[in-house]
């Protein structure tokens, strides 16, 4: 599934939006009325790139690309109830519970390398997590008939919306809204330190502000589901 995330409550003062992907695997009962399973969600809500002078181990300096990304990963178990089990249109409700992990990563790339695949240095600037619960409503459309050799009920187009609520978490955002209340974030700025190997002088680079708020999210998902067994 592709997922679009819109923060709610005090969290919307610090996060504009998020984009991510969801992968889930579940099993349905013989009546096809209930399903249970687990899902993993990855969402990125902030990203910033800049160029800084970076001191190498041999004493030379080079211009490096500094990339800071803000993201979270949800690990959730779910139970789902289908109101209609036959036909092309099948609406459902689901309840979920699990853990949400927020991370801010720093990666330093050499701009002279065209692919920028492997960073020359990396670090985790901030990470925190909390328990979360969620309720979702959605429907799936059977489009197995589009493929001539596919049996009915094998392929579905799936859409749902989910409201998530969790405990308090500390997180960073390099792309926070310009206006926010002082009650939802700390005054401490987070900086990445680059050390000159010859002079031992520490150069600091501001990479974001540390915020604190409860997890409150509304997301919309669109994806495809595939039934493995017959």
């Amino acid at each position: 599934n592709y997922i679009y995330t819109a923060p709610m409550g005090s969290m919307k003062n610090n996060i504009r939006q998020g984009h991510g992907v969801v992968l889930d695997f579940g099993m349905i009962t013989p009546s096809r009325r209930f399903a249970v399973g687990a899902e993993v969600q990855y969402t990125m809500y902030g990203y910033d790139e800049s160029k800084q002078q970076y001191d190498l181990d041999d004493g030379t300096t080079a211009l490096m690309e500094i990339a800071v990304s803000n993201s979270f990963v949800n690990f959730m178990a779910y139970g789902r109830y289908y109101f209609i089990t036959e036909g092309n249109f099948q609406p459902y409700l689901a309840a979920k519970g699990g853990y949400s992990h927020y991370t801010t990563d720093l990666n330093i790339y050499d701009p002279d390398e065209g692919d920028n695949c492997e960073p020359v240095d990396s670090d985790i600037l901030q990470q925190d997590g909390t328990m979360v619960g969620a309720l979702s409503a959605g429907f799936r459309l059977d489009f197995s008939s589009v493929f001539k050799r596919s049996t009915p009920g094998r392929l579905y187009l799936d859409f749902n919306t989910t409201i998530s609520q969790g405990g308090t978490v500390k997180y960073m955002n390099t792309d926070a809204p310009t206006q926010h209340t002082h009650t939802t974030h700390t005054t401490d700025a987070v900086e990445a330190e680059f050390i000159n190997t010859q002079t031992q002088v520490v150069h600091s680079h501001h990479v974001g502000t540390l915020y604190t708020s409860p997890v409150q999210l509304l997301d919309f998902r669109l994806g495809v589901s595939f039934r493995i067994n017959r």
Side-chain angles (χ1 to χ4, degrees), residues 1-8 11 16-22 39-44 72-74 76 92 94 96 100 102 132-138 158-165 215-223:
N1 291 262
Y2 160 76
I3 179 171
Y4 170 82
T5 300
M8 302 187 302
M11 186 169 262
R16 300 176 187 270
Q17 60 187 6
H19 300 273
V21 293
V22 181
E39 66 177 36
V40 178
Q41 170 189 345
Y42 173 81
T43 296
M44 181 177 290
F72 65 86
V73 178
N74 288 347
M76 307 278 277
Y92 61 82
K96 309 175 186 180
S100 184
Y102 284 70
V132 293
L135 293 175
S136 67
D158 196 293
F159 173 82
N160 72 77
T161 180
T162 301
I163 296 178
S164 302
Q165 180 75 46
V215 174
Q216 295 175 296
L217 299 171
L218 172 66
D219 65 55
F220 303 90
R221 309 180 183 195
L222 179 63

Side-chain angles (χ1 to χ4, degrees), residues 5-126:
T5 300
M8 302 187 302
S10 59
M11 186 169 262
K12 71 179 180 181
N13 297 320
N14 310 318
I15 298 177
R16 300 176 187 270
Q17 60 187 6
H19 300 273
V21 293
V22 181
L23 177 66
D24 77 74
F25 178 82
M27 295 184 293
I28 197 165
T29 60
S31 67
R32 294 188 290 181
R33 184 72 69 178
F34 296 95
V36 294
E39 66 177 36
V40 178
Q41 170 189 345
Y42 173 81
T43 296
M44 181 177 290
Y45 61 87
Y47 185 80
D48 178 71
E49 281 189 359
S50 62
K51 293 186 177 182
Q52 301 287 328
Q53 288 291 338
Y54 189 73
D55 298 298
L56 305 178
D57 293 336
D58 60 1
T60 61
T61 61
L63 189 65
M64 294 290 177
E65 292 182 356
I66 312 300
V68 179
S69 60
N70 311 113
S71 62
F72 65 86
V73 178
N74 288 347
F75 303 93
M76 307 278 277
Y78 67 81
R80 186 180 299 160
Y81 175 79
Y82 291 95
F83 293 96
I84 301 175
T85 60
E86 300 291 341
N88 293 333
F89 178 77
Q90 300 178 10
Y92 61 82
L93 288 177
K96 309 175 186 180
Y99 183 78
S100 184
H101 186 74
Y102 284 70
T103 306
T104 294
D105 295 299
L106 169 71
N107 289 287
I108 301 173
Y109 298 95
D110 186 352
D112 293 333
E113 296 181 3
D115 53 4
N116 279 350
C117 290
E118 294 294 333
V120 297
D121 198 3
S122 62
D123 193 15
I124 298 177
L125 300 180
Q126 169 65 24

Side-chain angles (χ1 to χ4, degrees), residues 70 104 126 171-174 176 180 185-191 206-212:
N70 311 113
T104 294
Q126 169 65 24
Y171 56 94
M172 288 177 56
N173 188 7
T174 60
H180 43 257
H185 69 87
T186 67
T187 57
D188 296 332
V190 179
E191 295 184 342
H206 177 74
V207 293
T209 304
L210 188 64
Y211 300 95
T212 302

